[in-house]
Amino acid sequence: HTHTHTHTHTHTQGALLVLLPDPIVPFHDSRFTQHQEFDLVASGSTSSCSEGASLIVLDWLTSGRRSRGENWQMERYESVNTVRIASKCVLHDALKLSREPLNLSIEQRMQPFHCVAMVILIGPRTQKLAAYLLELINTRQTERILDEEGEGTPFVGGKRRRHPGEGEEAPWDGLICSASEIAGQVGVVVRVAGHDYVMVEKFLRTHLKGLEEQCGRDVWTKKMCLH
């Protein structure tokens, strides 16, 4: 099976585009290519996003149909996201998984994870949520990789101690996350990898809940909204 598609989006000043698609589920021997381009209008003629358009994009995939024994069995996967502000490229991100030419299989390279996700947040209407995610992830990741003696744990997805007041919040066991600012402080890129799809989805729904303020409670059902 081969699937290729290209999306190009152009958005005017003050607009907010949110894309929350279902994850790609690659079949055995499948080939998938996706290129998405986003052109955002900035305030005035500069590449500043202080009053320009805003963008939130979720791009994610699973290891396949695990009920059928598929575990990173695709032949090739490629997803490229490009974001420009006032015609200037501020983000070009590519994820490529292929059986060739490396000696290790895709499954061997991706284990123990079965779901990976990336979230792009750019523009003034994402600043509050982006700042929250940046602080949350950077703080929690620092806590998780240290043991009780302050020494780094030798494995990813290690358990950490609960802190008083955490309540029923699901622990981050089985997840690794990162959050980094885009050059020029125009936005943030969040990356999540999990031991299964459910824990990644729960993380995203929990910590992207701030989207409901601007897009309504059915934002995940809509998959795409423009405000």
Side-chain angles (χ1 to χ4, degrees):
H1 302 279
T2 301
H3 180 76
T4 302
H5 73 271
T6 301
H7 288 169
T8 301
H9 304 265
T10 302
H11 303 288
T12 58
Q13 183 170 315
L16 168 64
L17 173 67
V18 178
L19 291 178
L20 300 174
D22 293 328
I24 300 300
V25 182
F27 293 179
H28 186 275
D29 289 337
S30 64
R31 295 181 296 274
F32 176 87
T33 302
Q34 169 181 268
H35 286 203
Q36 297 188 118
E37 298 183 1
F38 304 91
D39 290 286
L40 308 182
V41 175
S43 175
S45 59
T46 70
S47 61
S48 168
C49 215
S50 59
E51 297 180 11
S54 299
L55 174 71
I56 296 177
V57 177
L58 169 61
D59 188 8
W60 56 333
L61 78 153
T62 72
S63 59
R65 300 172 295 182
R66 296 180 67 184
S67 62
R68 298 192 178 190
E70 293 175 348
N71 184 13
W72 302 112
Q73 300 299 315
M74 65 281 216
E75 181 177 323
R76 190 173 189 274
Y77 173 90
E78 176 182 317
S79 181
V80 181
N81 290 282
T82 303
V83 182
R84 288 180 289 267
I85 300 177
S87 300
K88 178 182 178 181
C89 182
V90 296
L91 177 70
H92 182 78
D93 183 272
L95 173 61
K96 298 181 180 181
L97 300 172
S98 177
R99 292 176 182 170
E100 301 293 342
L102 299 179
N103 294 326
L104 294 177
S105 68
I106 300 176
E107 179 181 359
Q108 289 172 311
R109 282 176 272 156
M110 296 300 292
Q111 289 298 333
F113 303 107
H114 287 279
C115 184
V116 293
M118 177 185 70
V119 184
I120 302 169
L121 303 97
I122 291 179
R125 295 178 62 181
T126 72
Q127 287 179 349
K128 181 179 178 181
L129 181 57
Y132 161 75
L133 290 168
L134 193 64
E135 180 178 5
L136 171 81
I137 293 173
N138 288 341
T139 299
R140 290 296 180 85
Q141 284 299 92
T142 301
E143 293 171 350
R144 287 180 66 254
I145 63 175
L146 298 178
D147 60 21
E148 294 183 8
E149 286 73 39
E151 301 294 334
T153 56
F155 54 89
V156 299
K159 294 184 178 181
R160 66 174 179 82
R161 291 176 296 166
R162 292 287 189 95
H163 292 296
E166 278 193 280
E168 298 301 318
E169 180 188 6
W172 289 27
D173 305 336
L175 286 176
I176 58 171
C177 310
S178 70
S180 54
E181 287 191 277
I182 299 171
Q185 297 184 326
V186 297
V188 168
V189 174
V190 173
R191 303 181 194 276
V192 185
H195 289 185
D196 63 49
Y197 159 76
V198 173
M199 64 174 57
V200 174
E201 181 191 38
K202 185 172 184 179
F203 174 89
L204 294 172
R205 285 180 177 268
T206 298
H207 297 294
L208 292 178
K209 195 172 180 63
L211 288 175
E212 295 179 0
E213 297 178 7
Q214 301 192 63
C215 302
R217 293 185 178 181
D218 59 347
V219 61
W220 286 94
T221 303
K222 292 177 180 177
K223 310 298 182 186
M224 174 180 176
C225 60
L226 179 62
H227 287 262

